[in-house]
Amino acid sequence: MLHVTSQEGTNLLDAGVAGNILENDIRIEYAGEVYPLADETGRGGQPESDVPATRMLLPAWNGLSLGMTDDCGPCLKFGEFGPTKMYKNECFTLDLGTGRTWNISFDFWVDGINTDNPVVHSSLYVGGEKMDFPLAEIRLD
């Protein structure tokens, strides 16, 4: 999840905030694909037939969409990644349509997956700065 704020801390993904960036061409490039911000369906541009109705704890790919957090309000949600895929030093590029991009990397993997005590490892970095997984803050200049 990506929380986007002004230097003053204003949430720039809030439609009720003057100067929000919701009309910008917001996108993420990951693994050779470009994911634009989802349309109003919230499905990341996926056809309805590609969206699972139930998931039984399996991650569902949601592309890039708007989400909501209790603490921060509107945010960008990307993916959904599952630790059993063993993501290590995965990278994607965030473009908020402002003329600047951010390189974001993460780890999300399980150690001891076939044991009684597996341990999930997770980390998130924006431009090399460690964030609190799974929420990163992007502050615009």
Side-chain angles (χ1 to χ4, degrees):
M1 293 182 290
L2 305 168
H3 182 224
V4 182
T5 63
S6 67
Q7 284 296 320
E8 297 78 28
T10 303
N11 188 332
L12 296 175
L13 297 170
D14 186 337
V17 169
N20 71 65
I21 62 169
L22 293 172
E23 295 298 319
N24 289 12
D25 184 21
I26 299 171
R27 57 186 56 239
I28 283 180
E29 184 175 340
Y30 172 68
E33 299 286 333
V34 175
Y35 297 91
L37 185 59
D39 58 14
E40 65 279 353
T41 66
R43 293 192 302 264
Q46 296 183 56
E48 189 170 349
S49 62
D50 292 345
V51 179
T54 61
R55 27 182 274 190
M56 294 176 36
L57 301 177
L58 296 174
W61 186 254
N62 296 316
L64 178 62
S65 61
L66 283 174
M68 184 67 73
T69 63
D70 291 336
D71 296 337
C72 304
C75 66
L76 295 173
K77 292 173 55 177
F78 181 59
E80 178 173 50
F81 297 90
T84 59
K85 294 283 186 170
M86 306 303 233
Y87 295 102
K88 295 182 181 180
N89 198 31
E90 289 290 310
C91 300
F92 60 89
T93 302
L94 172 66
D95 184 341
L96 295 172
T98 62
R100 179 179 172 200
T101 60
W102 288 262
N103 292 320
I104 300 171
S105 61
F106 68 95
D107 298 311
F108 197 37
W109 57 281
V110 178
D111 187 22
I113 194 167
N114 294 320
T115 69
D116 290 338
N117 296 309
V119 177
V120 175
H121 299 272
S122 56
S123 58
L124 180 65
Y125 298 86
V126 176
E129 181 182 343
K130 187 168 181 145
M131 299 284 160
D132 291 329
F133 188 91
L135 182 64
E137 183 171 352
I138 310 294
R139 192 170 293 260
L140 298 183
D141 298 332

